[in-house]
Every structure is written in structure tokens, then in C-alpha cells.
Amino acid sequence: MATASTAGRPTPERIFNTLNAHEQTAALLSAIELDIFSAIGAGATTAAEIAAKTGAAEKGARILCDFMTIHGFLTKDQGKYALTQESAFFLDRKSPACLASMAGFLGHKQARARFDSLTESVRKGGSVWSEGDNTKPNDEFWVTFARSMAGLAVPSSQFIAALIRAEEGKPCKVLDIAAGHGMYGITIARKNPKAEIVALDWPSVVRVAQENAQKFGVADRFSTRAGSAFEVEMGSGYDYVLLTNIFHHFDMPTCEKLMRRVHAALKPSGQAITLEFVPNEDRVSPPTAAAFSLIMLANTDSGDAYTFSEYEKMFRNAGFAKSTLHPVPEMPQQLVVSEKSA
């Protein structure tokens, strides 16, 4: 919706702000790098105190904190800054829910640079970068992902564990495809002492998952398979196969190829559990899920954000009996649970 003047005419404010939106990214990355939010959380409230705590110039700290206030990350009252509830929860490093590490991946220069070529990606219908084929390894990029994004997985991983009733402690065998940090399978293993987890990803990436399994005390029930999800031997007899944030990297025929491999790896009573950004059929709502298509256009050769009807069709073509959609509370993603048999 265009901004309007008091006279009811449109103004160029939205256009101006959108063309300058890169400033918001740079400012938030700087605030995270300087640890501004932790400094304020620890009691530094004035520009001078924040500057002393972070090693910044007082002028620089004041201007950055004002900008963060303008954009809703801080509050300011009589020259003193405070964290918003959101910033205290997600950006203060003392918070157990801190997600500041996401800046390492989402703010990575490679991720940002790909949008400099967006016009060419629109013309092509896919990424113009050589790393756009995600059937091939891209170790540095995905290791950065695995080390940066584990915190964001907590709500979804807990929801998945609850959905499959992991706390009941029934023996189960779980394959976590494109495991990355491994937290989805690890969370199930922590809830269920009889769960056996197999994590599949590129060799350098599954080492990160192994480190996390050791950290969280489930390494004795956590094994790995290294290689491509389209080629490596997966094993069989799984109760659940986790497919978290993988399908959006590929076109529909490639997704179906992987779904058929998953179908073969599951027990007759098994389920494929897909975590994805799933836009509505109009493809413009809800905003975060719908906008994810543009990220895939810039970053992948053929990826997209698929609607639930498209997931239903793909899983059905791969041999699954039915699929159901489950919103993840307080997250922009949803689960597609696909039953191998009726």
C-alpha cells in the first residue's frame, strides 16, 4: 500500500525507504557485531555508556542506537536506551533464546551479493551464480549455515517432537535429511531416549551435527551418512524422515525424486515430515512465506516456495497416501506431514 500525504495524494516515502532498506540490514549487522543489545541488557543505557562498553565512538553509538530505535529494536526515553521485548529475547547474548548468530549466515556477504544480480536472475528464472545447484556441495556456505542457524530451529524442532509424541518414549528410527546443525533429530533424541537418529548431509556439515549431538548428550544414538540426499544410501525401516528446509532449493521433478527415495526408506506406517515456507494459493500471503520465493530465485537454479496443493501433488506422485498441513506456532513455517500408506 502506498503511503499517502495529508492531502490524500501518494508520496514517494515507501519508494525512498525501500531503496534505502539495505541500510537497515547494515545497521542491524553492526549492532550485533558490536554487541549493542548485550551492552544495553547489561545496564549500559546512555550513548556514552554503550560506547564505553562496546568500544565504539560516542557519536557512532548514539546514531546507531537512534536508528535501531526508529526501526523498533530499541526504545529511548530522555536520552536512555532500553531493549524491546523482542530484542531482549532474541538479540541479547545472555538470553537462552538469542538468535544473534543468524547474522553469520543471513548477513553473509555471499548471501547479500546474490541480490546484486537479481535483475539477471529474474530474466533467467534462477540464480546466475555458479553455486545455485544445491545438488552439489558448497561446504563453506552450508557449514556457516549449520553453525549460525541452530537457534532458529528450536521452536520448530520442539513442535515436531511434540507432534510425533516423542515424550512417550516409544522406540523409533529417524532419518534427518539435510540435517545441517542436526537440532531437529537431536531434539527428538533428547525427548525420547529410545529414538535412534541418522543425520544425512555433506561430509563437512554432518561433522557440525555430530558436535551438537555430543554437546547435547545423544551421540550414542546419533549416526551420520555423508553425501548427497539424491545419491547416498539412506538405509530403510525409518518411522520418520525429516525434510527440513530442503525442497525449496529444487524444481518439482527434483523434489519428487527425493520424495520417492524417502518413500522407499520409510516403514509402511512411516511419515515424511517436511518443514517449509508454504505460501497460500495466492502466493502473496502470508508475507514471510510468500516472499521466500524471491530468496530462492536469487540463490538457486530452480528453487521456489511451494504451496500446500503443490506439496500434496508431489507427495502423491511419489507414492504417499495423504498429506496434512500443520502451522508451527510463532514461526513463519509450516509442517507438511505425509503418510506413506493410508
Side-chain angles (χ1 to χ4, degrees), residues 321-340:
K322 69 172 184 177
S323 296
T324 53
L325 189 63
H326 305 262
V328 180
E330 301 179 2
M331 293 292 289
Q333 294 176 292
Q334 301 189 68
L335 291 183
V336 178
V337 178
S338 303
E339 310 281 346
K340 179 171 181 175

Side-chain angles (χ1 to χ4, degrees), residues 216-282:
F216 288 102
V218 298
D220 59 326
R221 294 177 286 118
F222 190 94
S223 61
T224 63
R225 292 178 184 256
S228 167
F230 297 92
E231 297 172 359
V232 72
E233 172 57 43
M234 291 181 174
S236 60
Y238 294 101
D239 296 278
Y240 305 101
V241 175
L242 308 181
L243 297 145
T244 55
N245 302 306
I246 184 171
F247 289 127
H248 56 238
H249 294 102
F250 310 108
D251 58 20
M252 293 176 72
T254 305
C255 290
E256 287 185 18
K257 178 181 178 182
L258 179 56
M259 289 171 181
R260 285 192 290 272
R261 299 198 81 210
V262 170
H263 187 273
L266 282 164
K267 290 179 178 178
S269 59
Q271 296 177 334
I273 299 178
T274 299
L275 177 69
E276 277 290 355
F277 294 92
V278 183
N280 294 332
E281 298 300 320
D282 62 11

